[in-house]
């Protein structure tokens, strides 16, 4: 009988359905190779942990296996499967031998057999983790070598695994295998000597985002609502606050508390009018704020239920939906094709504006008076493009809801009292609020409060209670906390740029973002509203021209009050003293991201401002001169020199590229990626919230308040840190293969740049390095 495969293949090629015997044999071979290729993909050593190690084992139900069959030693070129030896198909050598010593092994196809995961893990930590922090780093002084049994010898033959990077990867893989309940595993050597650039980008895409993703349902709300930042007796039980006009959500959370009485979930309604006094009254009983939910229908029962839209949290101690963090993470999530999570965060922001009046610092009760840098219009647009854009009616509906919320936020938050200064036409970070921010550590403000404890003969705890309850009147302290709340709303908490003055500053960062809002809203109204938008909140009707006029006025005010041509910086403007500051901040490049700078201004920024901020590891938050001297009485602040932050890098790269300086952006991104990769290789796969961009050896080591989120893990880092994850993925888009290889070898920026051919140096604007 004719092989039907040959008929199909001939028809596909436009040939008669007749084939010779060699054709049939060839088709059969091709068919066989295709089937084995799928097996190869299934056994991909670079797949995520869930696929590689299989589902987690419940130790209560599954006993350790009593026996693990020895792997059969195969002939190197004879009996090994075709998909594995594809590149040797024409090699006729048939010598029998262990694959452990073969050419295949030298090409990275070797597997290890870990007969006892716990024992190997203990041996590894005992010999290599000399500082006993459950990490293997360049600071450990062990022998930096461990013997592992090979899979094809059933563990009989051993191979040395050497060096910090491979041993730390081994520690990570064994830790993961143990967490999945595995007692014995096969481990691909390719998984522990993987190129660090490939490994880090793979972990971000396949693991870190998953670990950072949250989605509220009936079973997990207690865990999500738990808060480690508040330590009061009333805060021990998880609590959820629901908007006054969301009865369906209230019933949902009541149902969750009844289904799981042991989690002791407390559910409360918020009042219609949320005042600073009310928010302060919740300080001892903090809770999670409800977010957007969608209705799901069980296909088998027809039963309807609510489930929250997915969202990502920053990581570390930050286990809530944050403001500008979410925009930065959305860029990385979209790069990783996790569109539903990015869209979910936009849905949550629409909900927050509708029910809480603003995009919140984060969805906890103590953040109800405080917003964060506004990015909603661009966030909605980038998601809109990925869900079908103008060709998808549902995407257009999504965009209209997003922009309706952004317009409401623009009018009621950023261009309204107390955040708007009518004289200068600039907006400020100026949130409402009463008392001391409760989410900070109790001793955080002790230096500020010490004179007052002496004045009133109280302890710190007693004075905090007197002050928060308004039993003592201290105007200077009131002003201090006004500015402190402003600093937290700015997202740049803390910096000497804002200390004691933030609420009075028309900043370049905030006003750049609002200029972008005005331009985006104008384009939206012109394209999707027939150039006429009726605001459902105030009944006003505006056109694209109206919003462009607003942007022109803001741009003129920014140039008048913030631009300094001599230095090439956009500074901040104090609306109370009516003076421009001189603090050299990385947020000057936000003017490029927003598109408000002129070509001449962009050129001056690259020539004059950038050299003051470009460091070994990228852009520093501010210049050393602006930060000033550090002393016991003037400690270092985390948003100042010498620290670099992912959002500053991301916005600067995009802004410089938009103005024709992609080569400069490429150089800056190499610096940042090098620093991240070097720390990842040397310090057990670490990815942290911020870096010291002046340090080449241990940039993750930060000596500032709040420490460094993402550094406290045992064995393996499972989250990274939200916006830093994004920065790595976006930075790699600027890198060609040569640069990626250099990053994988951890070649520092200057040797890398100096090694480039003359024709390649322009790709990195090497001539602009001072």
């Amino acid at each position: 009988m004719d092989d039907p495969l040959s008929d199909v293949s001939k028809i596909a090629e436009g040939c008669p359905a007749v084939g010779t015997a060699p054709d049939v044999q060839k088709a059969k071979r091709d068919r066989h190779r295709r089937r084995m290729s799928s097996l190869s993909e299934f056994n991909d050593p670079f797949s995520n942990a869930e696929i590689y190690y299989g589902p987690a084992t419940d130790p209560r139900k599954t006993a350790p296996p009593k026996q693990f069959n020895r792997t059969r030693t195969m002939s190197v070129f004879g009996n090994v499967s075709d998909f594995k030896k594809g590149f040797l198909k024409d090699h006729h050598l048939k010598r029998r031998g262990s694959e452990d010593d073969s050419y295949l092994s030298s090409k990275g196809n070797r597997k290890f057999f870990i007969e006892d995961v716990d024992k190997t893990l203990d041996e590894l930590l005992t010999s290599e983790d000399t500082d006993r922090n459950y990490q293997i780093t360049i600071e450990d002084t062990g022998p930096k070598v461990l013997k592992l049994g090979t899979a094809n010898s059933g563990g009989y033959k051993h191979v040395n695994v050497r060096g910090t990077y491979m041993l730390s990867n081994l520690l990570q893989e064994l830790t993961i295998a143990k967490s999945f309940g595995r007692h014995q595993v096969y481990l691909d050597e390719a998984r522990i000597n993987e190129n660090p650039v490939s490994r880090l980008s793979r972990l971000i895409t396949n693991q870190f985002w998953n670990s950072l993703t949250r989605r509220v349902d009936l079973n997990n709300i207690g865990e999500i609502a738990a808060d480690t930042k508040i330590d009061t007796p009333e805060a021990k039980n998880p609590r959820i606050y629901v908007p006054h006009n969301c009865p369906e959500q209230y019933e949902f959370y009541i149902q969750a508390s009844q289904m799981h009485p042991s989690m002791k979930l407390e559910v409360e309604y918020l009042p219609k009018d949320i005042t600073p006094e009310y928010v302060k009254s919740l300080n001892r009983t903090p809770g999670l704020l409800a977010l957007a939910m969608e209705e799901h229908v069980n296909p088998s029962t027809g039963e309807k239920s609510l489930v929250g839209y997915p969202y990502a949290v920053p990581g570390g101690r930050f286990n809530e939906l944050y403001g500008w963090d979410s925009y930065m993470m959305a860029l990385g999530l979209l790069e990783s094709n996790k569109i539903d999570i990015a869209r979910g965060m936009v849905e949550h922001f629409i909900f927050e504006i509708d029910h809480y009046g603003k995009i919140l610092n984060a969805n906890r009760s103590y953040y109800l008076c405080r917003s964060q840098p506004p990015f909603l219009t661009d966030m909605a647009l980038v998601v809109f493009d990925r869900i079908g854009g103008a060709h998808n009616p549902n995407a257009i509906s999504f965009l209209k809801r997003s922009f309706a919320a952004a317009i409401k936020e623009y009018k009621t938050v950023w261009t309204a009292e107390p955040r708007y200064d009518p004289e200068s036409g600039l907006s400020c970070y100026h949130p409402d609020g009463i008392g001391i921010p409760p989410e900070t550590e109790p001793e955080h403000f002790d230096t500020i409060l010490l004179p007052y404890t002496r004045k009133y003969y109280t302890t710190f705890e007693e004075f905090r209670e007197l002050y928060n309850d308004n039993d003592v009147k201290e105007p200077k302290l009131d002003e201090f906390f006004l500015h402190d709340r402003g600093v937290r709303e700015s997202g740049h908490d803390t910096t000497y740029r804002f200390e004691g003055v933030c609420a009075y500053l028309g900043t370049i960062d905030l006003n750049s973002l609002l200029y972008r809002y005005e331009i985006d809203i104008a384009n939206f109204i012109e394209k999707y509203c027939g150039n006429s938008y009726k605001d459902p909140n105030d009944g006003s009707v505006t056109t694209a021209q109206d919003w462009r006029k607003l942007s022109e006025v803001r741009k003129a005010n920014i140039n008048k009050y913030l631009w300094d041509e001599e230095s090439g910086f956009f500074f901040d403007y104090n609306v109370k003293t009516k003076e421009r500051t001189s603090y050299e901040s990385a947020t000057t490049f936000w003017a490029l991201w927003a598109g408000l700078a002129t070509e001449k201004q962009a050129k001056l920024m690259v020539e004059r401002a950038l050299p003051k901020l470009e460091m070994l590891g990228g852009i520093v938050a501010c210049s050393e001169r602006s930060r000033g001297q550090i002393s016991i009485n003037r400690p270092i602040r985390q948003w100042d020199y010498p620290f670099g932050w992912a959002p500053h890098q991301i916005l600067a790269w995009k802004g410089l590229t938009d103005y024709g300086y992609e080569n400069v952006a490429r150089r800056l991104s190499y610096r940042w990626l090098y620093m991240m990769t070097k720390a990842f290789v040397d310090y057990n796969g670490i990815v942290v919230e911020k870096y010291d961009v002046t340090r080449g050896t241990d940039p993750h080591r930060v000596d500032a308040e709040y420490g460094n989120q993402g550094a406290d893990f045992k064995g393996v880092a499972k989250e990274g840190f939200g916006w830093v994850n994004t920065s790595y993925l976006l930075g790699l888009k600027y890198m060609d293969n040569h640069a990626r290889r250099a990053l994988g070898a951890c070649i520092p920026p200057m040797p890398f740049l100096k090694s480039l051919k003359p024709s390649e140096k322009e790709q990195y604007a090497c001539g602009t390095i001072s």
Side-chain angles (χ1 to χ4, degrees), residues 597-616:
T598 65
E599 297 294 332
K600 179 182 178 181
Q601 287 171 331
K603 185 173 185 292
L604 291 174
M605 292 170 73
V606 170
E607 293 175 351
R608 299 178 183 179
L610 182 60
K612 297 180 181 180
L613 300 174
E614 183 175 356
M615 302 291 155
L616 168 69

Side-chain angles (χ1 to χ4, degrees), residues 229 311-314 317-327 329 345 349 352 359-364 366-367 372:
K229 294 189 290 296
Y311 62 95
V313 302
R317 71 188 188 115
F318 305 115
N319 193 39
E320 306 87 15
L321 175 77
Y322 277 80
W324 70 317
D325 294 72
S326 294
Y327 168 74
M329 288 188 288
M345 294 194 289
F349 286 160
E352 286 189 340
I359 291 176
L360 300 173
N361 186 158
N363 66 314
R364 296 281 182 186
Y366 40 81
Y367 294 135
Q372 279 215 310

Side-chain angles (χ1 to χ4, degrees), residues 723-737:
W723 56 27
V724 182
N725 298 342
T726 291
S727 72
Y728 201 79
L729 299 180
L730 296 184
L732 284 177
K733 296 178 72 173
Y734 290 93
M735 301 292 105
D736 59 16
N737 288 335

Side-chain angles (χ1 to χ4, degrees), residues 79 109 113 117 121 132 136 159 166 208 218 246 288 303 454 463 514 610 616 632 640 647 752 766:
N79 297 334
N109 293 322
F113 170 44
V117 170
L121 190 57
R132 300 294 179 257
I136 296 175
V159 175
M166 288 188 67
F208 289 178
L218 287 170
C246 293
L288 192 73
E303 183 180 0
R454 293 171 177 172
F463 179 77
L514 294 177
L610 182 60
L616 168 69
I632 295 177
D640 284 340
F752 169 71
C766 294

Side-chain angles (χ1 to χ4, degrees), residues 393-539:
N394 290 331
I396 294 175
S397 174
F398 162 82
L399 191 69
K400 288 182 175 181
R401 291 188 296 107
S402 301
F403 271 76
I407 290 170
K408 178 182 178 181
E409 178 200 24
Y410 175 90
K411 290 182 176 181
T412 61
V413 178
W414 300 113
T415 58
E417 295 292 343
R419 291 178 177 85
Y420 181 69
D421 176 58
E423 182 176 339
S424 66
L426 300 173
S427 298
C428 307
Y429 295 113
H430 193 130
D432 294 324
I434 296 174
I436 302 171
E439 79 275 11
T440 57
E441 297 84 351
E443 67 277 3
H444 184 78
F445 296 108
D446 282 359
T447 302
I448 302 298
L449 300 181
L450 180 60
Y452 298 97
T453 62
R454 293 171 177 172
K455 177 180 178 180
Y456 291 98
Y457 301 100
T458 63
T459 64
F460 284 107
E461 184 176 356
E462 290 169 342
F463 179 77
R464 281 193 288 266
E465 187 171 346
L466 288 171
Y467 178 71
N468 285 336
D469 291 341
N470 206 26
D471 291 332
V472 297
K473 307 290 184 182
E474 291 293 343
K476 288 186 177 180
L477 202 54
D478 293 342
E479 183 163 349
F480 171 85
F481 283 113
L482 163 66
H483 296 305
D484 181 81
R485 286 188 292 272
V487 172
R488 297 174 193 282
E489 182 169 80
S490 77
H492 291 71
D493 46 333
T494 60
T495 166
Y496 286 115
R497 173 189 173 202
F498 289 157
E499 193 161 295
V501 73
C502 184
Y504 300 150
L505 292 181
T507 68
I508 181 55
D509 33 296
L510 176 57
N511 286 281
S512 293
L513 298 181
L514 294 177
Y515 173 85
R516 181 65 172 262
Y517 260 43
E518 292 155 353
I519 293 296
D520 287 345
I521 292 170
N523 294 337
F524 161 76
I525 292 175
E526 186 173 63
K527 189 170 183 180
Y528 297 102
C529 301
N531 202 28
S532 179
Y533 176 79
K534 184 174 182 179
D535 192 327
N537 297 297
D538 60 18

